[in-house]
Short mmCIF file of all heavy atoms in Angstrom, two decimals:
data_model
loop_
_atom_site.label_atom_id
_atom_site.label_comp_id
_atom_site.label_asym_id
_atom_site.label_seq_id
_atom_site.Cartn_x
_atom_site.Cartn_y
_atom_site.Cartn_z
N MET E 1 0.83 -1.16 0.01
CA MET E 1 -0.01 -0.01 0.01
C MET E 1 0.86 1.23 0.04
O MET E 1 1.87 1.33 0.69
CB MET E 1 -0.93 -0.02 1.23
CG MET E 1 -2.05 0.93 1.16
SD MET E 1 -3.12 0.73 2.59
CE MET E 1 -4.54 0.14 1.86
N SER E 2 0.48 2.23 -0.73
CA SER E 2 1.31 3.45 -0.87
C SER E 2 1.24 4.26 0.43
O SER E 2 0.26 4.33 1.10
CB SER E 2 0.68 4.27 -1.99
OG SER E 2 1.23 5.57 -2.02
N GLY E 3 2.38 4.93 0.69
CA GLY E 3 2.47 5.80 1.90
C GLY E 3 1.61 7.08 1.70
O GLY E 3 1.45 7.84 2.62
N SER E 4 1.10 7.38 0.48
CA SER E 4 0.33 8.60 0.21
C SER E 4 -1.14 8.34 0.29
O SER E 4 -1.87 9.14 -0.10
CB SER E 4 0.70 9.14 -1.19
OG SER E 4 0.36 8.22 -2.25
N ASP E 5 -1.55 7.12 0.72
CA ASP E 5 -3.00 6.83 0.85
C ASP E 5 -3.58 7.76 1.91
O ASP E 5 -3.17 7.78 3.05
CB ASP E 5 -3.15 5.37 1.28
CG ASP E 5 -4.61 4.95 1.39
OD1 ASP E 5 -5.44 5.56 0.75
OD2 ASP E 5 -4.91 4.09 2.16
N ARG E 6 -4.61 8.43 1.49
CA ARG E 6 -5.25 9.43 2.43
C ARG E 6 -6.69 9.00 2.74
O ARG E 6 -7.49 9.82 2.91
CB ARG E 6 -5.29 10.83 1.74
CG ARG E 6 -3.90 11.40 1.53
CD ARG E 6 -3.99 12.74 0.90
NE ARG E 6 -5.02 13.53 1.58
CZ ARG E 6 -5.29 14.78 1.31
NH1 ARG E 6 -4.61 15.41 0.37
NH2 ARG E 6 -6.21 15.49 1.95
N SER E 7 -6.90 7.74 2.82
CA SER E 7 -8.26 7.25 3.11
C SER E 7 -8.79 7.87 4.38
O SER E 7 -8.04 7.87 5.35
CB SER E 7 -8.31 5.73 3.14
OG SER E 7 -7.46 5.27 4.15
N GLY E 8 -9.99 8.38 4.34
CA GLY E 8 -10.59 9.04 5.53
C GLY E 8 -10.25 10.50 5.65
O GLY E 8 -10.92 11.20 6.45
N ALA E 9 -9.36 10.98 4.95
CA ALA E 9 -8.97 12.43 4.97
C ALA E 9 -9.77 13.19 3.88
O ALA E 9 -9.74 12.84 2.72
CB ALA E 9 -7.46 12.66 4.72
N ALA E 10 -10.59 14.10 4.32
CA ALA E 10 -11.39 14.89 3.41
C ALA E 10 -10.58 15.96 2.74
O ALA E 10 -9.66 16.57 3.38
CB ALA E 10 -12.59 15.51 4.07
N GLU E 11 -10.80 16.24 1.47
CA GLU E 11 -10.18 17.32 0.81
C GLU E 11 -10.72 18.67 1.36
O GLU E 11 -11.87 18.77 1.69
CB GLU E 11 -10.48 17.30 -0.70
CG GLU E 11 -9.84 16.18 -1.41
CD GLU E 11 -8.33 16.26 -1.51
OE1 GLU E 11 -7.80 17.41 -1.69
OE2 GLU E 11 -7.65 15.25 -1.34
N PRO E 12 -9.84 19.74 1.48
CA PRO E 12 -10.35 20.99 1.96
C PRO E 12 -11.38 21.58 1.04
O PRO E 12 -11.23 21.42 -0.19
CB PRO E 12 -9.13 21.85 2.06
CG PRO E 12 -8.03 21.16 1.30
CD PRO E 12 -8.43 19.73 1.16
N GLU E 13 -12.33 22.23 1.57
CA GLU E 13 -13.39 22.88 0.78
C GLU E 13 -13.04 24.33 0.70
O GLU E 13 -12.71 25.02 1.66
CB GLU E 13 -14.75 22.70 1.40
CG GLU E 13 -15.90 23.42 0.66
CD GLU E 13 -17.23 23.25 1.33
OE1 GLU E 13 -17.34 22.63 2.33
OE2 GLU E 13 -18.11 23.96 0.82
N PHE E 14 -13.16 24.83 -0.61
CA PHE E 14 -12.87 26.25 -0.81
C PHE E 14 -14.14 26.96 -1.30
O PHE E 14 -14.97 26.31 -2.01
CB PHE E 14 -11.78 26.46 -1.85
CG PHE E 14 -10.43 26.09 -1.32
CD1 PHE E 14 -9.95 24.78 -1.44
CD2 PHE E 14 -9.61 27.05 -0.78
CE1 PHE E 14 -8.69 24.40 -1.01
CE2 PHE E 14 -8.42 26.73 -0.30
CZ PHE E 14 -7.94 25.41 -0.37
N VAL E 15 -14.35 28.20 -0.94
CA VAL E 15 -15.45 29.04 -1.43
C VAL E 15 -14.96 30.38 -1.92
O VAL E 15 -13.94 30.79 -1.45
CB VAL E 15 -16.53 29.21 -0.39
CG1 VAL E 15 -17.18 27.95 0.10
CG2 VAL E 15 -15.99 29.96 0.85
N VAL E 16 -15.60 30.93 -2.87
CA VAL E 16 -15.33 32.33 -3.34
C VAL E 16 -16.46 33.14 -2.71
O VAL E 16 -17.65 32.82 -2.87
CB VAL E 16 -15.34 32.41 -4.82
CG1 VAL E 16 -15.20 33.89 -5.26
CG2 VAL E 16 -14.20 31.59 -5.43
N ILE E 17 -16.04 34.18 -2.01
CA ILE E 17 -17.01 34.98 -1.23
C ILE E 17 -16.61 36.40 -1.23
O ILE E 17 -15.43 36.78 -1.15
CB ILE E 17 -17.13 34.38 0.23
CG1 ILE E 17 -18.13 35.12 1.05
CG2 ILE E 17 -15.77 34.36 0.89
CD1 ILE E 17 -18.37 34.50 2.39
N ARG E 18 -17.60 37.28 -1.33
CA ARG E 18 -17.39 38.71 -1.17
C ARG E 18 -17.74 38.98 0.36
O ARG E 18 -18.87 38.83 0.78
CB ARG E 18 -18.22 39.62 -2.04
CG ARG E 18 -17.89 41.08 -1.78
CD ARG E 18 -18.35 41.97 -2.89
NE ARG E 18 -17.90 41.66 -4.19
CZ ARG E 18 -16.74 41.91 -4.80
NH1 ARG E 18 -15.80 42.59 -4.11
NH2 ARG E 18 -16.54 41.57 -6.04
N VAL E 19 -16.70 39.36 1.13
CA VAL E 19 -16.98 39.70 2.51
C VAL E 19 -17.54 41.15 2.60
O VAL E 19 -17.14 42.05 1.89
CB VAL E 19 -15.72 39.53 3.36
CG1 VAL E 19 -15.38 38.05 3.50
CG2 VAL E 19 -14.51 40.26 2.83
N GLU E 20 -18.54 41.29 3.46
CA GLU E 20 -19.36 42.49 3.50
C GLU E 20 -19.01 43.40 4.72
O GLU E 20 -18.89 44.61 4.56
CB GLU E 20 -20.82 42.16 3.51
CG GLU E 20 -21.33 41.20 2.41
CD GLU E 20 -21.53 41.96 1.14
OE1 GLU E 20 -21.87 43.13 1.22
OE2 GLU E 20 -21.30 41.34 0.10
N ASN E 21 -18.92 42.78 5.88
CA ASN E 21 -18.89 43.57 7.13
C ASN E 21 -17.79 43.02 8.03
O ASN E 21 -17.43 41.83 8.01
CB ASN E 21 -20.19 43.49 7.88
CG ASN E 21 -21.32 44.05 7.06
OD1 ASN E 21 -21.30 45.19 6.65
ND2 ASN E 21 -22.38 43.19 6.78
N PRO E 22 -17.27 43.86 8.95
CA PRO E 22 -16.35 43.46 9.97
C PRO E 22 -17.09 42.67 11.05
O PRO E 22 -18.27 42.93 11.30
CB PRO E 22 -15.65 44.66 10.48
CG PRO E 22 -16.68 45.76 10.25
CD PRO E 22 -17.41 45.37 8.98
N ALA E 23 -16.39 41.73 11.70
CA ALA E 23 -16.95 41.03 12.84
C ALA E 23 -16.00 41.21 13.99
O ALA E 23 -14.85 41.49 13.84
CB ALA E 23 -17.15 39.58 12.48
N ASN E 24 -16.50 40.92 15.19
CA ASN E 24 -15.67 40.96 16.41
C ASN E 24 -14.53 39.93 16.23
O ASN E 24 -14.72 38.87 15.70
CB ASN E 24 -16.46 40.60 17.70
CG ASN E 24 -17.43 41.80 18.03
OD1 ASN E 24 -17.23 42.85 17.67
ND2 ASN E 24 -18.44 41.47 18.71
N GLY E 25 -13.34 40.29 16.74
CA GLY E 25 -12.23 39.44 16.68
C GLY E 25 -11.42 39.45 15.48
O GLY E 25 -10.47 38.68 15.31
N GLY E 26 -11.69 40.49 14.58
CA GLY E 26 -10.85 40.58 13.36
C GLY E 26 -11.28 39.85 12.14
O GLY E 26 -10.63 39.96 11.11
N ASP E 27 -12.37 39.10 12.24
CA ASP E 27 -12.90 38.35 11.08
C ASP E 27 -13.70 39.36 10.21
O ASP E 27 -14.03 40.44 10.64
CB ASP E 27 -13.73 37.18 11.45
CG ASP E 27 -12.98 36.12 12.18
OD1 ASP E 27 -11.73 36.07 12.07
OD2 ASP E 27 -13.62 35.22 12.80
N ALA E 28 -14.04 38.95 9.02
CA ALA E 28 -15.04 39.65 8.21
C ALA E 28 -16.13 38.66 7.89
O ALA E 28 -15.96 37.47 7.93
CB ALA E 28 -14.34 40.09 6.92
N VAL E 29 -17.33 39.23 7.58
CA VAL E 29 -18.48 38.36 7.41
C VAL E 29 -19.00 38.48 5.95
O VAL E 29 -19.08 39.52 5.43
CB VAL E 29 -19.65 38.84 8.37
CG1 VAL E 29 -20.92 38.01 8.23
CG2 VAL E 29 -19.17 38.84 9.76
N GLY E 30 -19.36 37.29 5.46
CA GLY E 30 -20.03 37.27 4.12
C GLY E 30 -21.00 36.14 4.18
O GLY E 30 -21.19 35.52 5.23
N ARG E 31 -21.70 35.87 3.05
CA ARG E 31 -22.67 34.75 2.98
C ARG E 31 -22.44 33.88 1.80
O ARG E 31 -22.11 34.40 0.72
CB ARG E 31 -24.07 35.28 2.94
CG ARG E 31 -24.53 35.94 4.22
CD ARG E 31 -25.95 36.35 4.13
NE ARG E 31 -26.40 36.95 5.45
CZ ARG E 31 -26.89 36.29 6.44
NH1 ARG E 31 -27.06 35.02 6.35
NH2 ARG E 31 -27.19 36.92 7.55
N VAL E 32 -22.59 32.59 1.86
CA VAL E 32 -22.57 31.66 0.83
C VAL E 32 -23.78 30.73 0.96
O VAL E 32 -23.95 30.12 2.02
CB VAL E 32 -21.24 30.77 0.84
CG1 VAL E 32 -21.29 29.74 -0.24
CG2 VAL E 32 -20.02 31.71 0.63
N ASP E 33 -24.59 30.65 -0.10
CA ASP E 33 -25.84 29.91 -0.06
C ASP E 33 -26.68 30.16 1.18
O ASP E 33 -27.28 29.27 1.81
CB ASP E 33 -25.45 28.38 -0.07
CG ASP E 33 -24.77 28.00 -1.40
OD1 ASP E 33 -25.06 28.66 -2.44
OD2 ASP E 33 -23.98 27.08 -1.40
N GLY E 34 -26.72 31.45 1.58
CA GLY E 34 -27.54 31.87 2.73
C GLY E 34 -26.93 31.63 4.05
O GLY E 34 -27.50 32.05 5.05
N ARG E 35 -25.79 31.01 4.19
CA ARG E 35 -25.17 30.80 5.43
C ARG E 35 -24.06 31.82 5.68
O ARG E 35 -23.30 32.17 4.75
CB ARG E 35 -24.48 29.41 5.52
CG ARG E 35 -25.50 28.32 5.65
CD ARG E 35 -24.86 26.97 5.68
NE ARG E 35 -24.20 26.75 6.92
CZ ARG E 35 -23.39 25.68 7.16
NH1 ARG E 35 -23.19 24.77 6.25
NH2 ARG E 35 -22.80 25.50 8.34
N VAL E 36 -23.94 32.33 6.92
CA VAL E 36 -22.94 33.24 7.30
C VAL E 36 -21.54 32.52 7.26
O VAL E 36 -21.42 31.41 7.68
CB VAL E 36 -23.21 33.79 8.68
CG1 VAL E 36 -22.02 34.61 9.22
CG2 VAL E 36 -24.39 34.71 8.63
N VAL E 37 -20.51 33.23 6.73
CA VAL E 37 -19.14 32.68 6.79
C VAL E 37 -18.28 33.77 7.44
O VAL E 37 -18.26 34.92 6.91
CB VAL E 37 -18.66 32.34 5.36
CG1 VAL E 37 -17.21 31.80 5.45
CG2 VAL E 37 -19.59 31.32 4.67
N PHE E 38 -17.60 33.47 8.56
CA PHE E 38 -16.64 34.30 9.12
C PHE E 38 -15.28 34.01 8.53
O PHE E 38 -14.78 32.89 8.60
CB PHE E 38 -16.61 34.11 10.60
CG PHE E 38 -17.85 34.44 11.36
CD1 PHE E 38 -18.76 33.45 11.70
CD2 PHE E 38 -18.17 35.76 11.68
CE1 PHE E 38 -20.00 33.79 12.38
CE2 PHE E 38 -19.34 36.15 12.31
CZ PHE E 38 -20.23 35.14 12.69
N VAL E 39 -14.66 34.98 7.90
CA VAL E 39 -13.43 34.78 7.14
C VAL E 39 -12.28 35.54 7.88
O VAL E 39 -12.32 36.74 7.97
CB VAL E 39 -13.50 35.30 5.71
CG1 VAL E 39 -12.21 34.95 4.95
CG2 VAL E 39 -14.71 34.67 4.99
N ARG E 40 -11.33 34.71 8.38
CA ARG E 40 -10.20 35.32 9.10
C ARG E 40 -9.23 35.97 8.10
O ARG E 40 -8.96 35.38 7.03
CB ARG E 40 -9.42 34.22 9.85
CG ARG E 40 -8.28 34.74 10.65
CD ARG E 40 -7.64 33.77 11.52
NE ARG E 40 -7.91 32.41 11.12
CZ ARG E 40 -7.20 31.39 11.56
NH1 ARG E 40 -6.24 31.50 12.42
NH2 ARG E 40 -7.49 30.22 11.17
N GLY E 41 -8.81 37.16 8.34
CA GLY E 41 -7.76 37.83 7.55
C GLY E 41 -8.32 38.59 6.35
O GLY E 41 -7.58 39.18 5.55
N ALA E 42 -9.69 38.55 6.15
CA ALA E 42 -10.27 39.29 5.03
C ALA E 42 -10.65 40.71 5.42
O ALA E 42 -10.91 40.97 6.63
CB ALA E 42 -11.54 38.54 4.46
N ILE E 43 -10.79 41.58 4.43
CA ILE E 43 -11.19 42.94 4.70
C ILE E 43 -12.51 43.14 4.02
O ILE E 43 -12.70 42.79 2.83
CB ILE E 43 -10.14 43.91 4.07
CG1 ILE E 43 -8.76 43.72 4.75
CG2 ILE E 43 -10.62 45.38 4.17
CD1 ILE E 43 -7.67 44.44 4.05
N PRO E 44 -13.48 43.82 4.71
CA PRO E 44 -14.79 44.06 4.07
C PRO E 44 -14.69 44.67 2.70
O PRO E 44 -13.84 45.65 2.50
CB PRO E 44 -15.49 44.98 5.07
CG PRO E 44 -14.89 44.59 6.39
CD PRO E 44 -13.47 44.30 6.12
N GLY E 45 -15.42 44.15 1.77
CA GLY E 45 -15.30 44.62 0.38
C GLY E 45 -14.51 43.75 -0.54
O GLY E 45 -14.67 43.76 -1.77
N GLU E 46 -13.65 42.86 0.01
CA GLU E 46 -12.81 42.03 -0.83
C GLU E 46 -13.62 40.81 -1.33
O GLU E 46 -14.51 40.31 -0.70
CB GLU E 46 -11.69 41.47 0.06
CG GLU E 46 -10.58 42.39 0.35
CD GLU E 46 -9.46 41.69 1.06
OE1 GLU E 46 -9.66 40.88 1.99
OE2 GLU E 46 -8.26 41.99 0.65
N LEU E 47 -13.20 40.36 -2.48
CA LEU E 47 -13.61 39.08 -3.04
C LEU E 47 -12.49 38.07 -2.76
O LEU E 47 -11.34 38.34 -3.33
CB LEU E 47 -13.92 39.23 -4.51
CG LEU E 47 -14.43 37.93 -5.23
CD1 LEU E 47 -15.79 37.53 -4.66
CD2 LEU E 47 -14.55 38.17 -6.76
N VAL E 48 -12.71 37.06 -2.02
CA VAL E 48 -11.66 36.14 -1.63
C VAL E 48 -12.04 34.70 -1.97
O VAL E 48 -13.15 34.30 -2.02
CB VAL E 48 -11.37 36.27 -0.15
CG1 VAL E 48 -10.89 37.64 0.20
CG2 VAL E 48 -12.51 35.90 0.71
N ARG E 49 -10.98 33.94 -2.07
CA ARG E 49 -11.14 32.49 -2.20
C ARG E 49 -10.60 31.98 -0.79
O ARG E 49 -9.48 32.15 -0.46
CB ARG E 49 -10.22 31.89 -3.24
CG ARG E 49 -10.36 30.32 -3.38
CD ARG E 49 -9.50 29.86 -4.59
NE ARG E 49 -9.67 28.47 -4.75
CZ ARG E 49 -8.75 27.60 -4.32
NH1 ARG E 49 -7.59 27.97 -3.80
NH2 ARG E 49 -8.90 26.30 -4.51
N ALA E 50 -11.60 31.36 -0.04
CA ALA E 50 -11.27 31.05 1.34
C ALA E 50 -11.47 29.52 1.53
O ALA E 50 -12.38 28.89 0.99
CB ALA E 50 -12.20 31.76 2.29
N ARG E 51 -10.65 28.95 2.44
CA ARG E 51 -10.74 27.53 2.80
C ARG E 51 -11.58 27.40 4.02
O ARG E 51 -11.33 28.06 5.07
CB ARG E 51 -9.30 27.01 3.06
CG ARG E 51 -9.33 25.50 3.46
CD ARG E 51 -7.88 24.99 3.60
NE ARG E 51 -7.11 25.75 4.58
CZ ARG E 51 -7.12 25.50 5.85
NH1 ARG E 51 -7.75 24.43 6.43
NH2 ARG E 51 -6.33 26.25 6.74
N ILE E 52 -12.60 26.61 3.98
CA ILE E 52 -13.47 26.27 5.15
C ILE E 52 -12.67 25.60 6.16
O ILE E 52 -12.11 24.55 5.92
CB ILE E 52 -14.71 25.48 4.78
CG1 ILE E 52 -15.52 26.25 3.66
CG2 ILE E 52 -15.58 25.12 5.97
CD1 ILE E 52 -16.08 27.55 4.11
N THR E 53 -12.66 26.12 7.41
CA THR E 53 -11.89 25.51 8.47
C THR E 53 -12.83 24.98 9.59
O THR E 53 -12.39 24.16 10.39
CB THR E 53 -11.01 26.51 9.18
OG1 THR E 53 -11.71 27.68 9.60
CG2 THR E 53 -9.89 27.04 8.20
N GLU E 54 -14.07 25.36 9.61
CA GLU E 54 -15.01 24.91 10.59
C GLU E 54 -16.42 24.87 10.01
O GLU E 54 -16.86 25.95 9.48
CB GLU E 54 -14.98 25.75 11.88
CG GLU E 54 -15.88 25.24 12.98
CD GLU E 54 -15.84 26.18 14.20
OE1 GLU E 54 -14.77 26.59 14.58
OE2 GLU E 54 -16.91 26.44 14.69
N ASP E 55 -17.12 23.76 10.14
CA ASP E 55 -18.44 23.64 9.55
C ASP E 55 -19.26 22.76 10.50
O ASP E 55 -19.88 21.80 10.13
CB ASP E 55 -18.40 23.03 8.16
CG ASP E 55 -19.81 23.12 7.42
OD1 ASP E 55 -20.71 23.77 8.01
OD2 ASP E 55 -19.93 22.47 6.44
N ARG E 56 -19.27 23.16 11.75
CA ARG E 56 -19.98 22.35 12.81
C ARG E 56 -21.34 22.97 13.21
O ARG E 56 -22.10 22.29 13.90
CB ARG E 56 -19.13 22.25 14.07
CG ARG E 56 -17.88 21.41 13.85
CD ARG E 56 -17.13 21.25 15.12
NE ARG E 56 -16.48 22.53 15.45
CZ ARG E 56 -15.77 22.78 16.53
NH1 ARG E 56 -15.61 21.81 17.42
NH2 ARG E 56 -15.22 23.93 16.76
N HIS E 57 -21.65 24.11 12.72
CA HIS E 57 -22.87 24.80 13.19
C HIS E 57 -23.80 25.01 12.01
O HIS E 57 -23.37 25.26 10.90
CB HIS E 57 -22.49 26.16 13.79
CG HIS E 57 -21.51 26.07 14.90
ND1 HIS E 57 -21.88 25.72 16.16
CD2 HIS E 57 -20.15 26.25 14.90
CE1 HIS E 57 -20.80 25.74 16.94
NE2 HIS E 57 -19.74 25.97 16.15
N ALA E 58 -25.12 24.86 12.25
CA ALA E 58 -26.08 25.00 11.16
C ALA E 58 -26.15 26.40 10.59
O ALA E 58 -26.41 26.60 9.43
CB ALA E 58 -27.46 24.55 11.69
N GLY E 59 -25.91 27.38 11.42
CA GLY E 59 -26.10 28.77 11.02
C GLY E 59 -24.83 29.55 10.46
O GLY E 59 -24.99 30.50 9.79
N TYR E 60 -23.65 28.96 10.69
CA TYR E 60 -22.45 29.63 10.20
C TYR E 60 -21.27 28.68 9.99
O TYR E 60 -21.29 27.58 10.48
CB TYR E 60 -22.06 30.80 11.14
CG TYR E 60 -21.52 30.35 12.43
CD1 TYR E 60 -20.15 30.04 12.63
CD2 TYR E 60 -22.33 30.14 13.57
CE1 TYR E 60 -19.58 29.67 13.81
CE2 TYR E 60 -21.81 29.78 14.78
CZ TYR E 60 -20.49 29.47 14.88
OH TYR E 60 -20.00 29.09 16.15
N ARG E 61 -20.32 29.21 9.25
CA ARG E 61 -19.11 28.45 9.04
C ARG E 61 -17.89 29.43 9.26
O ARG E 61 -18.08 30.61 9.33
CB ARG E 61 -19.01 28.00 7.50
CG ARG E 61 -20.13 27.16 7.13
CD ARG E 61 -20.27 26.96 5.62
NE ARG E 61 -19.62 25.75 5.25
CZ ARG E 61 -19.48 25.39 3.99
NH1 ARG E 61 -19.94 26.16 2.99
NH2 ARG E 61 -18.85 24.27 3.68
N ARG E 62 -16.71 28.90 9.40
CA ARG E 62 -15.46 29.69 9.53
C ARG E 62 -14.54 29.33 8.39
O ARG E 62 -14.52 28.17 8.02
CB ARG E 62 -14.84 29.44 10.90
CG ARG E 62 -15.65 29.93 12.03
CD ARG E 62 -14.89 29.99 13.31
NE ARG E 62 -15.70 30.40 14.48
CZ ARG E 62 -15.98 31.65 14.72
NH1 ARG E 62 -15.51 32.65 14.01
NH2 ARG E 62 -16.79 31.97 15.72
N ALA E 63 -13.78 30.35 7.94
CA ALA E 63 -12.85 30.13 6.85
C ALA E 63 -11.65 31.00 7.05
O ALA E 63 -11.63 31.97 7.79
CB ALA E 63 -13.55 30.41 5.51
N GLU E 64 -10.60 30.72 6.24
CA GLU E 64 -9.40 31.57 6.24
C GLU E 64 -8.89 31.70 4.85
O GLU E 64 -9.15 30.81 4.01
CB GLU E 64 -8.31 31.05 7.19
CG GLU E 64 -7.83 29.66 6.88
CD GLU E 64 -6.80 29.19 7.85
OE1 GLU E 64 -6.67 29.71 8.98
OE2 GLU E 64 -6.17 28.26 7.50
#
């Protein structure tokens, strides 16, 4: 068996999002498919390609 076998490891999910507003803690907020996404390191008004880092809540996700 190859040492590069990644069985069970999910590929990272990326989204393209226009962040709209600042959020507490330095994140910026946007929406994808009606869900709020908190994007670390983004500036309101930017169009970014972000990697989803947390998707445990029904109402929001986190990305960087």
